[in-house]
Amino acid sequence: MLGLAKIALSLLGATSVLAKGDRIEADVHQLRSLSLELPFIDEGFQMRNYDYGGDAIVNTMSHIRLTADQSSRMGYVWSTTTLPSDYWKLDFEIKVGGKGGYLYGDGMAMFVATERMSPGPVFGNRDYFTGLGLFFDTYPNGKHDFATPFVMGMVGDGKTAYDGAHDGDANRLGMCEAYFRNLKDATKVSVTYMKGEFVNVQLQLQPKDKWINCFTMTNVTLPEHAYLGFTALTGDISDNHDLLSVRAETMRPEALKNYNYMPNAPVTVTPPIGSSSLAFVLKLVVVVGACSGLFVGYKKYAAASAQRF
């Protein structure tokens, strides 16, 4: 009887875990036609379900390099099938970096848009796009009160231009500072969309780091029949922009009725060593130290001159 009681309590506990609003793994369906994993190409040396072009290069051992660390490069990879219109979740890995110490760029992006394979100035994609743009920006075109690199979200209506001169200030619906450049391991990104509700973006900069709730855009409805794309762009300055993997999933329509997921409020995260904020502090320390040295030198010079007279 005691054993039966334990089993009953266990079942009761399991039932409470599957309460309304919880994400039940059995209801999740992986979208294999929208996922990317090694070796990226099939036996016929073709990439199934995706097209790539521009300067993108497929390395079957490790990554898809959207741009190399060379100037004036642009690359892309776009799905040939569209995402579900009600709910989806994308988990992907990126790696950005190069030889540039202080000047590097321009960045890379993830798009969920009705237009595909249309190269342009917005991190390698066309301007006036229709859908979601998630930008991993590494070069500041204007002055800001936040550090670079950063991650920014925008929803394009097909009529509004991206404010490139000010790094999207006029378009920004969410952003967070995140120093994802020149890290040892790939950065993981998780993007969740629920029609009419939200787009949530989370980051894990390194494997042992905690996940960062980067930002949430609410009351978002993306266009139907939207493709998934990853693009990158370099100008006079450059970086390697690599895509390592993509996993896409959705949920059964019946399960969505009881799914009431809403992420926590965004948190402020201090950029790790190497960020532009730290660089500014170090420069300030150097300047203060230099000024102090000049002041001490002047005092000694003045004292010596006074003794001579």
Side-chain angles (χ1 to χ4, degrees):
M1 291 295 292
L2 184 60
L4 290 174
K6 288 183 177 179
I7 293 174
L9 287 173
S10 299
L11 290 174
L12 186 61
T15 303
S16 65
V17 171
L18 304 181
K20 180 178 179 180
D22 287 341
R23 183 176 184 273
I24 306 171
E25 293 299 323
D27 293 326
V28 175
H29 170 63
Q30 183 179 358
L31 299 168
R32 297 190 180 278
S33 63
L34 287 158
S35 298
L36 274 172
E37 58 185 15
L38 293 173
F40 304 119
I41 59 176
D42 58 21
E43 297 81 358
F45 298 99
Q46 299 293 321
M47 181 180 284
R48 293 183 180 179
N49 306 313
Y50 275 86
D51 291 320
Y52 68 98
D55 296 302
I57 299 174
V58 177
N59 185 327
T60 59
M61 300 296 291
S62 56
H63 58 253
I64 299 173
R65 177 149 289 173
L66 299 174
T67 72
D69 189 4
Q70 299 173 353
S71 61
S72 302
R73 294 291 186 268
M74 180 277 303
Y76 57 82
V77 56
W78 280 92
S79 69
T80 57
T81 58
T82 58
L83 284 156
S85 60
D86 292 332
Y87 169 89
W88 47 256
K89 183 173 181 286
L90 299 170
D91 295 311
F92 58 94
E93 295 178 291
I94 62 171
K95 201 166 186 182
V96 178
K99 298 179 181 178
Y102 292 98
L103 294 176
Y104 42 81
D106 286 321
M108 64 181 296
M110 182 209 83
F111 288 95
V112 176
T114 56
E115 314 90 356
R116 64 185 296 271
M117 296 181 66
S118 299
V122 185
F123 299 95
N125 190 40
R126 58 171 284 172
D127 205 350
Y128 301 97
F129 63 89
T130 308
L132 172 67
L134 181 63
F135 308 139
F136 299 83
D137 198 334
T138 56
Y139 182 77
N141 292 308
K143 294 182 179 180
H144 306 287
D145 57 356
F146 52 83
T148 305
F150 62 91
V151 182
M152 188 202 102
M154 166 186 173
V155 176
D157 58 5
K159 302 176 183 178
T160 304
Y162 169 67
D163 182 19
H166 304 95
D167 301 304
D169 283 351
N171 319 107
R172 186 169 61 242
L173 296 179
M175 66 86 64
C176 71
E177 297 177 15
Y179 201 84
F180 51 82
R181 185 181 180 273
N182 268 354
L183 299 179
K184 179 182 177 181
D185 297 301
T187 294
K188 294 182 179 181
V189 186
S190 183
V191 185
T192 306
Y193 167 70
M194 182 173 284
K195 182 178 180 180
E197 297 291 337
F198 65 87
V199 172
N200 174 247
V201 179
Q202 300 189 23
L203 309 170
Q204 187 183 38
L205 297 178
Q206 290 291 265
K208 294 183 179 180
D209 293 348
K210 292 183 179 180
W211 280 87
I212 301 169
N213 195 6
C214 184
F215 64 84
T216 300
M217 302 184 296
T218 57
N219 301 316
V220 175
T221 298
L222 298 178
E224 296 185 359
H225 311 297
Y227 298 90
L228 174 61
F230 296 88
T231 66
L233 182 72
T234 67
D236 294 330
I237 54 178
S238 60
D239 254 340
N240 295 313
H241 297 98
D242 299 338
L243 176 66
L244 281 71
S245 69
V246 181
R247 176 186 168 86
E249 63 183 43
T250 187
M251 194 177 291
R252 293 188 304 106
E254 297 82 3
L256 280 177
K257 296 177 182 178
N258 294 321
Y259 188 51
N260 191 30
Y261 171 78
M262 189 62 194
N264 296 325
V267 295
T268 302
V269 179
T270 302
I273 293 175
S275 71
S276 55
S277 296
L278 182 62
F280 172 77
V281 173
L282 291 176
K283 289 178 183 177
L284 185 61
V285 170
V286 171
V287 171
V288 172
C291 292
S292 299
L294 290 173
F295 178 73
V296 172
Y298 171 77
K299 292 284 288 184
K300 289 184 178 180
Y301 171 78
S305 299
Q307 288 177 359
R308 285 200 301 268
F309 297 99

